[in-house]
Amino acid sequence: MAGQLRQYRRRIRTVQSTKKITRAMELIAASRIVKARTRVAASRPYAQEITRVISAVASQSTIKHPLTTERTGVTRAAVVVVTSDRGLAGGYSSNAIRRAGELMELLDDEGKSVALYVVGRKGVTYYRFRNRAIAGEFTGFTEQPTYADAKAVADELLAAFAVPEADGGVGEIHVVYTEYVSALTQTPGAHRLLPMKLTESDEPPAGGPLPVYEFEPSAEGVLDALLPRYVESRLYVALLEAAASESASRQRAMKSATDNATELIRTYTRLANRARQEAITQEISEIVGGANALADAG
């Protein structure tokens, strides 16, 4: 009985130590969600405005830019999968990988091969274990991405998009990341990044006449300058959304682990008390039995 009691107490101490860790990770993740949501809200207006400007420039000119023109006979597409660098985030990375698998199956059905670009160590480890070729990998910043990180990814994708498919380039670029809806809901989504889908409108703003634009040095020059910024800003928003989703998923996972640890401590405490009570009862029984034996002998 004494050995069993020591074992229960040792388990209680171990679970209590684990609970402190999971609770601390839960609080850290909660604080990062607030910061990530603030950064997402701050980055969206820039991405939306640059998209509007590019659409306006394209609609006011007859130039067919390579980044906005639909290509025919595309046989190779790039897929960017955003996962996490660390674990303990529930099904965050696995859900994104599953959504990427669905997209790759769809592209395969369309007769397009896939050049895989992976953000996050979890995704890199997953595809390497399955011997899947990775065209590019980016790690070390998934929880707190910066614009420089998004630019590094965008530069590599734009370089691949500029190369003919026959020489190893790609004709389309898709990005798969987890969109932050709320603290309880994060949805993996797939979006085509390039060629850019332009949204043209013939309705004048606020009931006034349609604006007339003049471009310096030219409409093509404006598009050449803005379109790379468009790709960078869209990737930056995607990375920020994914970071917020990762923190939310980790907070839920750590809260669940903390609750489970609390329940486990309660169970072990009850078992330890029962073992202690049984040990005391046994000792009392032995003392009473010994006293009775001495009385009978006398």
Side-chain angles (χ1 to χ4, degrees):
M1 290 295 178
Q4 191 176 27
L5 182 59
R6 284 194 299 270
Q7 184 179 12
Y8 284 139
R9 287 174 174 171
R10 183 166 57 251
R11 290 182 179 178
I12 290 173
R13 288 193 298 270
T14 301
V15 176
Q16 285 175 337
S17 299
T18 304
K19 180 181 175 181
K20 291 179 181 178
I21 296 173
T22 57
R23 178 59 178 166
M25 293 183 67
E26 177 188 349
L27 295 175
I28 293 172
S31 66
R32 285 180 174 173
I33 290 176
V34 177
K35 295 178 181 178
R37 290 179 61 188
T38 303
R39 296 177 70 190
V40 170
S43 64
R44 277 177 177 166
Y46 175 80
Q48 292 170 352
E49 188 64 19
I50 196 172
T51 302
R52 188 192 66 80
V53 171
I54 291 174
S55 298
V57 172
S59 62
Q60 293 288 323
S61 65
T62 58
I63 295 174
K64 292 185 177 180
H65 196 277
L67 300 186
T68 61
T69 304
E70 293 285 345
R71 300 183 181 182
T72 58
V74 175
T75 59
R76 195 163 187 261
V79 175
V80 184
V81 187
V82 182
T83 62
S84 64
D85 283 322
R86 298 191 299 126
L88 301 177
Y92 167 77
S93 294
S94 60
N95 291 337
I97 291 172
R98 187 181 303 111
R99 183 67 184 89
E102 295 172 356
L103 173 61
M104 287 188 280
E105 288 180 3
L106 178 61
L107 293 173
D108 184 65
D109 293 339
E110 295 176 355
K112 302 172 184 175
S113 60
V114 174
L116 188 62
Y117 294 81
V118 185
V119 178
R121 292 189 180 92
K122 285 297 178 180
V124 172
T125 302
Y126 175 87
Y127 289 113
R128 279 183 178 174
F129 181 76
R130 285 156 181 78
N131 297 321
R132 181 66 187 257
I134 300 177
E137 58 185 69
F138 310 89
T139 59
F141 57 80
T142 59
E143 288 188 278
Q144 295 179 331
T146 64
Y147 193 87
D149 299 323
K151 187 178 187 305
V153 179
D155 289 344
E156 190 161 338
L157 292 174
L158 289 171
F161 194 76
V163 176
E165 295 180 45
D167 298 331
V170 297
E172 292 179 356
I173 297 177
H174 301 262
V175 57
V176 178
Y177 66 95
T178 306
E179 301 173 14
Y180 182 89
V181 180
S182 67
L184 298 177
T185 306
Q186 298 85 43
T187 306
H191 305 274
R192 196 184 76 174
L193 194 62
L194 290 178
M196 176 185 175
K197 293 182 180 179
L198 298 176
T199 56
E200 300 182 10
S201 176
D202 296 330
E203 297 181 2
L210 285 170
V212 178
Y213 296 95
E214 294 183 2
F215 307 109
E216 290 291 342
S218 63
E220 186 176 6
V222 172
L223 290 177
D224 286 339
L226 290 182
L227 282 169
R229 305 292 86 76
Y230 161 80
V231 176
E232 294 168 7
S233 65
R234 286 297 176 183
L235 282 173
Y236 184 48
V237 171
L239 292 176
L240 292 178
E241 289 255 12
S245 300
E246 179 184 347
S247 295
S249 182
R250 179 167 289 113
Q251 182 194 21
R252 290 200 313 275
M254 292 300 97
K255 184 180 186 308
S256 178
T258 302
D259 294 341
N260 291 338
T262 301
E263 182 62 29
L264 199 58
I265 291 171
R266 187 180 296 114
T267 300
Y268 280 140
T269 301
R270 184 170 57 251
L271 292 174
N273 291 338
R274 183 182 302 172
R276 180 171 174 272
Q277 190 176 30
E278 291 176 354
I280 293 173
T281 302
Q282 183 178 355
E283 291 177 1
I284 293 174
S285 299
E286 291 175 353
I287 293 172
V288 172
N292 291 336
L294 290 175
D296 293 341

